[in-house]
Amino acid sequence: MNDTQPILDVDALHVAIGEREILRGATLALRPGSLAVLMGANGSGKSTLGLALAGHPRYRVVGGAARLGGADLLAMSVEARARAGLFLSFQAPPDIPGVKNNLFIRTALNAVRESRGEAPLDAYDFLGQARAAGKSIGLPDSMLGRPVNDGFSGGERKRNELLQLALLKPKVAVLDEIDSGMDVDGVRAVVELITRLRAEGTAFLIVSHYLQMIESLSPDVVLRLADGRIAEQGGIALAHEIARTGYARAAQVVGV
Amino acid sequence: MDATADNANAATDARAAPEQADALTQALAQPYRHGFVTEIESDSLPPGLDEGVIREISRRKREPEFLLRWRLAAFERWQKMEAPDWAYLRIDPVDFQALSYYSAPKSHKNGPKSIDEVDPKLLETYEKLGVPLHERARLAGVAVDAVFDSVSVGTTFREKLAEVGVIFCSFSHAVQNHPELIERYLGTVVPQGDNFYAALNSAVFSDGSFVYVPAGVRCPMELSSYFRINAANTGQFERTLIIAEPGSHVSYLEGCTAPQRDENQLHAAVVELVAHDDAFIKYSTVQNWYPGDENGRGGIYNFVTKRGLAAGRRSRIAWTQVETGSAITWKYPSVVLRGDESNGEFHSIAVSNHYQQADTGTKMIHLGKNTTSRIVSKGISAGHAQNSYRGLVRINPGAEGARNHTQCDSLLIGHHCGAHTFPYIESTRGDAVVEHEATTTRISEERLFYCQQRGLDAQEATALIVGGFCQAVLEELPMEFALEARSLLAVSLEGAVG
């Protein structure tokens, strides 16, 4: 597959939670190394898109298609999607009491490596990589020895998501409000990491309301989700307009 | 107090009791399945229990008169007792006359002759547990001498212990060679009439372990039944006695880290520990007897009485158990805190999957001044299993300044299992500090999804989450045991999620 082919291709996706259809024909494509910002009013289905692509059991795909690197994403199990290179950062990552962060991440990393036919990392090699990655995003070493997200602040949980992103180096990363709860240094770390991984070929779908960060990311495209579809798309100017006028007005513009 | 969380549902929980009863009766009725390693097979007695059988057991074991009298007294009491029914367990009645009472290790004749004859499913489990190849055969019941030379290992071991004066031998050996110790201590911690199963054990016990650590000696190695020659397959009625003289220190590991395919059997063991002034006994168990199949057929009935006497000043006794096997577990390792400033600990992981039932916990009996105890219980239920914690903390009138802390956590996997907590606190003193904390959690969809999104499959995720839940207890186990226990937890819960 050459770089002009999309790595993620979502075509007219319909997703329901229970009987309620949240996404009604969402279509988007990401090429390797590209970055799309997904904006939209609360409840417009931004998180639903990420969770449905990742295969959350409560998000039922009722129509459309999604392909990752040409393969049928929707036919894969949750872990197969992850191993194929899909990463979703959680808005509120859960804790796992008693499981040390480094064990958790190493187990995950080795599961992914195994599926790629790579040798597992031993604890020593892993720790070296994890420390270096942690340092670059401002996560102290001590976080590696603590149970996963247990007693972490909101910002620490988000940084821990970044750490996993940095180590897993996915093909496609969907980051759902990764900036919320982060301090200024945290947001800077987000931008640095995304820029670096993007240069290495990771495609990003970034859900955010934070204009300053969106600007620093130099997105290829800004998408506005409304009524379960991509209602509008454009350059950074669209993000500026939404910031200035709000979603309610934007909704009126397209007559939703 | 009942049920911090109770998913027991009579309708969904119904199980094939009649078939099980049949299978059990049949299997229990099978005679001659076992025989002493040192004896020939014809030494087994036919099924049935009366005074004559007890005299015969004692005669064949060439026991001193005091022990025969002790057995007979126990038998007399047992006959007047009823099987306890207070536990939160469904137990099909056991026909005690259908059992053979002089039987211990698996007969070579009936057992597999080579590893090729062993159930491949069982071997697969061993492989998952990382049990070495030669060990797999031994665990599967292939004749020991055909597999590896344990004698040389045992001899080195025994010599090393003898240098410091530690006695570690089979119970029968101790009866022959150290009768004065047996006579002095037997039944002092668990009296003959303590309970129905202890009384039965007292009457008919076959063999078990004996440990004696002299004053001031720190036992130079972990004592493990693994190394105990001629007792790898001690039978249904084990009896273990450990005596730690003042200032001594001993750690004993019991158990088998891979499942034995003994089906439909009753195990009624008794363990007595005596720790004198400043002595410390650490007793660790990994129990993985056959739990029955996915439909609740077969499996061991495990009725065990374990108790330690912290007899002197600053005596310490710590029980650590990982219970993943057996169809039914009924077990309450306890500590009687008689000496002032003595300390008792109980760390437990009890896993029940499919149709397993566990009713387990501890008793901490505070008698001496400033005695302390700590209880950490982790119960895990999956499938249609029922898991109960039952614990008693008693503060007697003389126990000035006694303190206890209990932490009791339950983890539920799925929606058809149940977790129950029955903590009993009997405090006669106003100055006692007795704290009880309990939590119930579920392997939530969110945690599972999170792990899976990072690339773990449901089973790996479950193993990880369960391992985290049990971490505080696993830390109490000796290192190599902890690793095995971790794999065991994963294997026991296979198929519980996803």
Side-chain angles (χ1 to χ4, degrees), chain A residues 58 82-83 88 95 161 164, chain B residues 445 447 450 453-455:
Chain A
R58 274 188 285 123
R83 290 171 189 182
L88 170 69
D95 59 358
E161 294 289 277
Q164 294 172 58
Chain B
E445 193 175 61
R447 281 186 185 139
Y450 187 58
Q453 207 297 306
R454 298 300 139 90

Side-chain angles (χ1 to χ4, degrees), chain A residues 105 109 116 126 129-130 133 162-169:
Chain A
I105 303 176
L109 183 56
R116 291 182 195 149
F126 169 77
Q129 288 195 13
L162 283 186
L163 175 67
Q164 294 172 58
L165 170 65
L167 290 166
L168 290 167
K169 296 193 174 69

Side-chain angles (χ1 to χ4, degrees), chain B residues 324-353:
Chain B
T324 63
S326 297
I328 293 174
T329 297
W330 180 96
K331 183 181 164 188
Y332 315 90
S334 305
V335 184
V336 178
L337 298 153
R338 193 176 72 190
D340 292 347
E341 295 169 51
S342 60
N343 167 262
E345 301 210 356
F346 174 72
H347 307 271
S348 170
I349 297 170
V351 179
S352 39
N353 194 4

Side-chain angles (χ1 to χ4, degrees), chain A residues 51 56-58 78-79 82-83 86-88 90 94-99 104 107-108 111 149 161 164, chain B residues 444-458 460 464-469 471 475 486:
Chain A
L51 289 162
H56 193 291
R58 274 188 285 123
V78 177
E79 62 271 20
R83 290 171 189 182
L86 178 69
F87 178 92
L88 170 69
F90 285 52
D95 59 358
I96 310 179
V99 177
F104 172 67
T107 309
N149 297 328
E161 294 289 277
Q164 294 172 58
Chain B
S444 68
E445 193 175 61
E446 285 313 311
R447 281 186 185 139
L448 206 57
F449 177 68
Y450 187 58
C451 293
Q452 287 175 287
Q453 207 297 306
R454 298 300 139 90
L456 304 180
D457 65 30
E460 291 166 329
L464 198 73
I465 294 168
V466 167
F469 176 75
Q471 185 56 28
E475 277 167 6
R486 207 175 265 283

Side-chain angles (χ1 to χ4, degrees), chain B residues 124-139:
Chain B
E124 198 182 300
T125 307
Y126 293 159
E127 203 179 324
K128 284 179 197 156
L129 290 172
V131 178
L133 200 62
H134 62 273
E135 259 304 274
R136 290 179 206 169
R138 187 188 71 91
L139 292 169

Side-chain angles (χ1 to χ4, degrees), chain A residues 172-234:
Chain A
V172 173
V174 180
L175 306 187
D176 193 356
E177 300 198 6
I178 189 77
D179 51 275
S180 74
M182 286 262 210
D183 56 22
V184 183
D185 294 341
V187 174
R188 190 173 298 134
V190 170
V191 173
E192 279 171 17
L193 178 62
I194 291 174
T195 307
R196 182 159 58 80
L197 289 178
R198 204 175 156 191
E200 291 172 24
T202 300
F204 284 90
L205 181 63
I206 311 279
V207 175
S208 177
H209 301 286
Y210 184 30
L211 189 60
Q212 206 178 331
M213 186 184 79
I214 293 171
E215 283 177 329
S216 346
L217 289 172
S218 326
D220 295 300
V221 65
V222 174
L223 308 170
R224 187 170 67 80
L225 192 63
D227 196 30
R229 292 187 194 95
I230 304 298
E232 223 177 334
Q233 67 177 50

